[in-house]
């Protein structure tokens, strides 16, 4: 039996799925997980499209959103805007 490698980007095919995925990672993950998730979302939408919308080059996007990267906050905000997302702060219930 042949198996294929799981790639979450194959399943991020609508805005609701993307939002649910990213919100889950934000709630349960750490900063590296969040950067990785944003990279998966950008890959699902298309790095060329994200590059065009952010004004960043594809190679710099791949580098900024790779494992172990520490991208600037402005880069994260540009990518989030390009994928149709935003950051929202809600109070933590006691």
């Amino acid at each position: 039996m042949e198996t294929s490698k799981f790639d979450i980007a194959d399943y991020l095919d609508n805005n609701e799925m993307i939002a649910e995925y990213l919100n889950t990672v934000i709630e349960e993950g750490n900063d590296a997980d969040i950067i990785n998730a944003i990279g998966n979302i950008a890959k699902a939408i298309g790095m060329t499209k994200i590059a065009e919308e952010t004004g960043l080059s594809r190679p710099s996007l791949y580098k900024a959103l790779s494992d172990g990267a520490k991208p600037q906050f402005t880069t994260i905000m540009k990518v989030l805007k390009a994928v149709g997302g935003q950051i929202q702060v809600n109070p933590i219930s006691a």
Side-chain angles (χ1 to χ4, degrees):
M1 176 193 288
E2 220 176 290
T3 61
S4 61
K5 185 177 178 185
F6 176 79
D7 188 352
I8 189 67
D10 295 336
Y11 300 91
L12 300 173
D13 56 1
N14 63 61
N15 290 341
E16 291 77 23
M17 183 67 76
I18 289 169
E20 185 66 29
Y21 169 63
L22 188 53
N23 285 328
T24 299
V25 173
I26 288 171
E27 287 178 26
E28 299 175 3
N30 58 33
D31 56 343
D33 294 333
I34 295 166
I35 292 166
N36 191 12
I38 294 170
N40 288 332
I41 294 166
K43 189 168 84 171
I45 292 172
M47 282 296 195
T48 300
K49 180 178 178 185
I50 301 301
E52 290 170 357
E53 292 186 27
T54 61
L56 301 167
S57 70
R58 286 180 68 232
S60 66
L61 280 173
Y62 279 110
K63 183 177 178 183
L65 301 173
S66 66
D67 286 335
K70 302 223 181 279
Q72 294 184 355
F73 188 69
T74 55
T75 301
I76 294 298
M77 293 303 294
K78 286 180 182 181
V79 174
L80 283 177
K81 184 176 179 183
V83 302
Q86 64 183 357
I87 292 178
Q88 181 177 7
V89 176
N90 296 310
I92 299 173
S93 56

